[in-house]
Amino acid sequence: MKPWKLLDTEYLVNAPWLKVAKEKCQLPNGKIIDDFYTLWQPDWVLILARTTEGKWVMTEQYRHGTGKIALEFPAGIIDKGETPEQAAVRELQEECGYGQKEIPGQARDDKASAQYLGAYPVNPDRHRGKFHVVFIDGVVRAGDTSFDDTEEIESLEMSDEDLQAKMNDGSFSHPLQMAGYLKWKLSQK
């Protein structure tokens, strides 16, 4: 099996947070597709943060795509020059006001405090962006939040049993976040 050959790209939307491209592609059998549409969004990090009491840090915020308030794990865009682990630590503080418990006399190492679980395609068929999954254990409330002017986020803590019940009843329904949680669960075996 061979990949398709990209012959031409025309950006229909070329904004910082979203790109939509019309691509002309040649299949291995020679067939030409004149209008294959792809999407791009910046890479983002999914943060599976567990408190010192073993509860998950969760967020609730309005999601315009569904028109509903969504229960989610914290997440955010990875800034240029940032590792996924650094982005996870930063976003967790900014969105939820949580961080690693400070140990007197020890410098905090964001990379050491965060366990990288991998990068995954958002949608391998048409989407060029990836999401990265990072697990941070033993977080505590550690200061104030710092929202962007488009964010309104409420944080809460939830036991593993309650989270799984929310997955089962559909009130936690973000499929990529559920996949990240499953990846973490499988890493615990």
Side-chain angles (χ1 to χ4, degrees):
M1 189 170 298
K2 295 179 181 177
W4 295 2
K5 183 177 179 182
L6 181 60
L7 302 175
D8 188 41
T9 301
E10 175 189 354
Y11 286 101
L12 306 175
V13 176
N14 194 357
W17 304 111
L18 176 70
K19 294 182 189 334
V20 179
K22 177 181 173 184
E23 297 180 344
K24 183 175 183 178
C25 303
Q26 182 177 16
L27 281 58
N29 67 6
K31 178 175 174 53
I32 302 288
I33 299 176
D34 289 315
D35 58 351
F36 192 89
Y37 296 92
T38 58
L39 301 171
W40 171 91
Q41 289 177 291
D43 285 2
W44 56 278
V45 63
L46 169 63
I47 308 153
L48 305 176
R50 194 167 57 182
T51 67
T52 54
E53 293 81 27
K55 294 192 175 190
W56 294 108
V57 177
M58 305 297 295
T59 63
E60 287 184 320
Q61 61 185 308
Y62 174 75
R63 293 301 192 186
H64 193 63
T66 59
K68 296 181 180 179
I69 305 295
L71 175 66
E72 300 175 341
F73 287 109
I77 301 297
I78 299 171
D79 289 341
K80 186 176 179 124
E82 235 180 0
T83 67
E85 296 93 338
Q86 291 166 332
V89 169
R90 176 185 52 76
E91 286 284 349
L92 184 63
Q93 178 65 53
E94 288 176 5
E95 289 191 355
C96 304
Y98 282 77
Q100 282 292 120
K101 186 174 183 177
E102 297 291 332
I103 301 170
Q106 282 188 348
R108 189 178 84 190
D109 179 359
D110 290 344
K111 195 157 182 145
S113 67
Q115 179 186 359
Y116 185 72
L117 298 177
Y120 306 95
V122 172
N123 176 351
D125 181 42
R126 296 190 182 270
H127 202 287
R128 298 270 163 74
K130 293 183 289 191
F131 73 102
H132 301 257
V133 181
V134 173
F135 171 65
I136 308 173
D137 204 13
V139 300
V140 295
R141 285 223 181 247
D144 295 328
T145 56
S146 176
F147 300 137
D148 293 339
D149 60 1
T150 60
E151 292 178 316
E152 183 181 354
I153 302 169
E154 293 185 19
S155 298
L156 60 140
E157 295 178 7
M158 187 172 288
S159 71
D160 200 57
E161 296 78 19
D162 288 342
L163 175 60
Q164 289 182 29
K166 298 281 186 191
M167 288 178 184
N168 192 40
D169 72 17
S171 53
F172 178 84
S173 59
H174 192 304
L176 299 178
Q177 293 204 356
M178 293 170 76
Y181 173 81
L182 176 61
K183 176 63 179 170
W184 172 81
K185 275 295 228 195
L186 295 171
S187 76
Q188 301 305 296
K189 292 184 178 188

Coordinates of all heavy atoms in Angstrom, one line a residue, residues 43-47 76 78-79 81-91 110-111 114 116-119 131-134 136:
D43 N -1.7 21.6 17.6 CA -1.6 20.5 18.5 C -2.1 21.0 19.9 O -1.8 22.1 20.3 CB -0.2 20.0 18.6 CG 0.1 19.1 17.4 OD1 -0.7 19.0 16.4 OD2 1.3 18.6 17.3
W44 N -2.7 20.1 20.6 CA -3.2 20.5 22.0 C -2.9 19.3 22.9 O -2.6 18.2 22.5 CB -4.7 20.8 22.0 CG -5.6 19.8 21.4 CD1 -5.9 19.6 20.1 CD2 -6.4 18.9 22.1 NE1 -6.8 18.6 20.0 CE2 -7.1 18.1 21.2 CE3 -6.6 18.6 23.5 CZ2 -8.0 17.1 21.6 CZ3 -7.4 17.6 23.9 CH2 -8.2 16.8 22.9
V45 N -2.9 19.6 24.2 CA -2.6 18.7 25.2 C -3.9 18.4 26.1 O -4.6 19.3 26.4 CB -1.5 19.1 26.1 CG1 -1.8 20.4 26.9 CG2 -1.0 18.0 27.1
L46 N -4.1 17.1 26.3 CA -5.2 16.6 27.2 C -4.5 16.3 28.6 O -3.5 15.6 28.6 CB -5.8 15.4 26.7 CG -6.7 14.6 27.6 CD1 -7.9 15.4 28.0 CD2 -7.2 13.3 26.9
I47 N -5.0 16.9 29.6 CA -4.3 16.8 30.9 C -5.2 15.9 31.9 O -6.3 16.3 32.3 CB -4.2 18.2 31.6 CG1 -3.5 19.2 30.6 CG2 -3.4 18.1 32.9 CD1 -3.9 20.6 30.7
G76 N -5.6 22.2 26.5 CA -5.2 23.5 25.9 C -4.2 23.4 24.8 O -3.5 22.3 24.6
I78 N -0.8 23.8 22.7 CA 0.6 23.8 23.0 C 1.2 25.0 22.3 O 1.2 25.1 21.1 CB 1.3 22.5 22.6 CG1 0.6 21.3 23.3 CG2 2.8 22.5 22.8 CD1 1.0 19.9 22.7
D79 N 1.8 25.8 23.1 CA 2.5 27.0 22.6 C 3.8 26.7 21.8 O 4.4 25.7 22.2 CB 2.8 28.1 23.7 CG 1.5 28.7 24.2 OD1 0.5 28.7 23.6 OD2 1.6 29.3 25.3
G81 N 7.4 26.2 20.9 CA 8.6 26.0 21.8 C 8.3 25.3 23.1 O 9.2 25.0 23.8
E82 N 7.1 24.9 23.3 CA 6.7 24.2 24.5 C 6.6 22.7 24.3 O 6.2 22.3 23.2 CB 5.3 24.7 24.9 CG 5.1 25.2 26.3 CD 3.7 25.7 26.6 OE1 2.8 25.6 25.8 OE2 3.5 26.1 27.7
T83 N 7.0 21.9 25.3 CA 6.7 20.5 25.2 C 5.3 20.3 25.7 O 4.7 21.1 26.4 CB 7.7 19.7 26.1 OG1 7.4 20.1 27.5 CG2 9.2 20.0 25.8
P84 N 4.7 19.1 25.4 CA 3.4 18.8 25.9 C 3.3 18.8 27.4 O 2.4 19.3 28.0 CB 3.1 17.4 25.3 CG 3.9 17.3 24.0 CD 5.2 18.1 24.4
E85 N 4.4 18.3 28.0 CA 4.4 18.3 29.5 C 4.4 19.8 30.1 O 3.7 20.0 31.0 CB 5.7 17.6 30.0 CG 5.7 16.1 29.7 CD 6.5 15.8 28.4 OE1 6.6 16.7 27.5 OE2 6.9 14.7 28.2
Q86 N 5.2 20.7 29.5 CA 5.2 22.1 29.9 C 3.8 22.7 29.7 O 3.3 23.4 30.6 CB 6.3 22.8 29.2 CG 7.7 22.5 29.6 CD 8.7 23.0 28.6 OE1 8.5 23.2 27.4 NE2 9.9 23.2 29.1
A87 N 3.2 22.4 28.5 CA 1.9 23.0 28.2 C 0.9 22.4 29.2 O 0.0 23.2 29.7 CB 1.5 22.6 26.8
A88 N 1.0 21.2 29.6 CA 0.0 20.6 30.6 C 0.1 21.3 31.9 O -0.9 21.6 32.5 CB 0.3 19.1 30.7
V89 N 1.3 21.5 32.4 CA 1.5 22.1 33.7 C 1.0 23.6 33.6 O 0.3 24.0 34.5 CB 3.0 22.1 34.1 CG1 3.3 23.0 35.3 CG2 3.4 20.6 34.4
R90 N 1.3 24.3 32.6 CA 0.9 25.7 32.4 C -0.7 25.7 32.3 O -1.3 26.5 33.0 CB 1.5 26.3 31.1 CG 1.0 27.7 30.9 CD 1.5 28.3 29.6 NE 1.4 27.4 28.4 CZ 0.2 27.3 27.7 NH1 -0.9 27.9 28.1 NH2 0.1 26.5 26.7
E91 N -1.3 24.9 31.4 CA -2.7 25.0 31.2 C -3.5 24.6 32.5 O -4.5 25.1 32.8 CB -3.1 24.1 30.0 CG -2.8 24.7 28.7 CD -3.7 25.8 28.2 OE1 -4.8 26.0 28.9 OE2 -3.4 26.4 27.2
D110 N 9.0 20.5 35.7 CA 7.7 20.2 35.0 C 7.7 18.9 34.2 O 6.7 18.2 34.2 CB 7.3 21.3 34.1 CG 6.9 22.6 34.9 OD1 6.7 22.5 36.1 OD2 6.9 23.7 34.3
K111 N 8.8 18.6 33.6 CA 8.9 17.4 32.8 C 8.9 16.2 33.7 O 8.2 15.2 33.3 CB 10.1 17.4 31.9 CG 10.1 16.4 30.8 CD 11.0 16.8 29.6 CE 10.8 15.7 28.6 NZ 10.9 16.2 27.2
A114 N 5.3 15.3 35.1 CA 4.3 15.0 34.2 C 4.7 13.8 33.4 O 5.8 13.7 32.9 CB 4.0 16.2 33.2
Y116 N 4.3 11.6 30.1 CA 3.8 11.7 28.7 C 3.3 10.4 28.3 O 4.0 9.4 28.3 CB 4.9 12.2 27.8 CG 4.5 12.5 26.4 CD1 3.7 13.6 26.0 CD2 4.9 11.6 25.4 CE1 3.3 13.8 24.7 CE2 4.5 11.9 24.0 CZ 3.7 12.9 23.7 OH 3.4 13.2 22.4
L117 N 2.0 10.3 27.8 CA 1.4 9.1 27.4 C 1.3 8.9 25.9 O 0.9 7.8 25.4 CB 0.0 8.9 28.0 CG 0.0 8.9 29.5 CD1 -1.4 8.8 30.0 CD2 0.9 7.7 30.1
G118 N 1.6 9.9 25.1 CA 1.6 9.8 23.7 C 0.9 10.9 22.9 O 0.2 11.7 23.5
A119 N 1.0 10.8 21.6 CA 0.4 11.8 20.7 C -0.5 10.9 19.7 O -0.1 9.9 19.3 CB 1.4 12.5 19.8
F131 N -3.5 15.4 19.3 CA -3.6 15.7 20.7 C -2.6 14.8 21.4 O -2.4 13.7 21.1 CB -5.0 15.6 21.2 CG -5.6 14.2 21.4 CD1 -5.7 13.6 22.6 CD2 -6.0 13.5 20.3 CE1 -6.2 12.4 22.8 CE2 -6.6 12.2 20.4 CZ -6.6 11.7 21.7
H132 N -2.0 15.4 22.5 CA -1.0 14.8 23.3 C -1.7 14.5 24.7 O -2.4 15.4 25.2 CB 0.2 15.7 23.5 CG 0.8 16.0 22.2 ND1 2.0 15.4 21.8 CD2 0.5 16.9 21.2 CE1 2.3 15.9 20.6 NE2 1.4 16.8 20.2
V133 N -1.4 13.3 25.2 CA -2.0 13.0 26.5 C -0.9 13.0 27.6 O 0.2 12.4 27.4 CB -2.6 11.6 26.5 CG1 -3.3 11.3 27.8 CG2 -3.7 11.5 25.4
V134 N -1.1 13.8 28.7 CA -0.2 13.9 29.8 C -0.9 13.6 31.1 O -2.0 14.2 31.3 CB 0.5 15.3 29.8 CG1 1.3 15.5 31.0 CG2 1.3 15.6 28.5
I136 N -0.6 13.9 35.2 CA 0.1 14.5 36.3 C -0.6 14.0 37.6 O -1.7 14.3 37.8 CB 0.0 16.1 36.2 CG1 0.5 16.6 34.9 CG2 0.9 16.7 37.3 CD1 0.3 18.1 34.6

